[in-house]
Amino acid sequence: MSEQETKPEETPKAEAEAVEEPKKEETEAAAESEKKKEDGPKEEESTATFEPVVKLEEVDVKSGEEEEETLCKFRSKLFLYGETLLDKGTGKKTWKERGIGEARILRHREHQRLRFLMRQEKTMKVIANHALDPRIKLEPNAGSDRSWVWSCYDFADGELEEKVFALRFANSDVADEFKAKYEEHQVEMEKLLAGEDKPDEGGEADEAADALKGLKTDDE
């Protein structure tokens, strides 16, 4: 029987060296590649500047309230009674929300006229804008003690239109305070339209009258 040559088995140490050999070559190759990157040309940051094709100048935007003073303001939600876009022309009317914002009463510094103005608090779009007509009556909204309903000729959409508004407040106390202020300034507007001057809050009229009493003419 012939003897067969047997190949000695590799020891664990030899196996470890065989595994580590490729890793060593990979490490050396990665190091060589990194060195080439460092030795290569470096990228320079761009310092170029670009001028805008069109230069926009600052524009002074006017709100139309520059000549007015705010007498009072109340944060609230406005509703309009009318047709929706889907119901246009059908005559079917419902309450639709116009937006949340500050309901304000403004007085013009020159001619003293008063108006009611309200803008949406985010877009600043005018959603109500009408003169404080003394004939306007604030009526309680059915089923609510914190909202008022009234009809008026409004100019918020660029043309005079008859509209029905409802204004809802946080609570009944704020609603009552708004009504009191609204009616108070309606009285002022009524006197103004009747030809009477604005109430003499500072007492200037009395002071002028006292000064006139002290004047003497040369004949006296």
Side-chain angles (χ1 to χ4, degrees), residues 50-56:
F50 299 93
E51 293 292 333
V53 178
V54 179
K55 291 185 178 181
L56 300 178

Side-chain angles (χ1 to χ4, degrees), residues 61 67 81 94 132 144 147 168 181 186 201:
V61 180
E67 300 300 322
Y81 187 71
T94 56
L132 213 65
S144 176
S147 63
R168 190 170 69 193
K181 286 291 184 182
Q186 275 185 304
E201 298 175 355

Side-chain angles (χ1 to χ4, degrees), residues 78-82 94-98 157 163-166:
L78 185 71
F79 296 86
L80 174 66
Y81 187 71
T94 56
W95 286 109
K96 49 186 180 180
E97 183 179 331
R98 290 301 303 270
D157 297 325
K163 295 180 180 179
V164 179
F165 289 116

Side-chain angles (χ1 to χ4, degrees), residues 26 29 33 37 39 70 86 99 103 145 150 167 170 187 190 204:
E26 290 176 3
S33 175
K37 288 182 180 179
D39 295 340
T70 300
L86 296 176
D145 62 349
W150 73 94
L167 200 59
V187 173
E190 186 175 14
E204 289 86 353

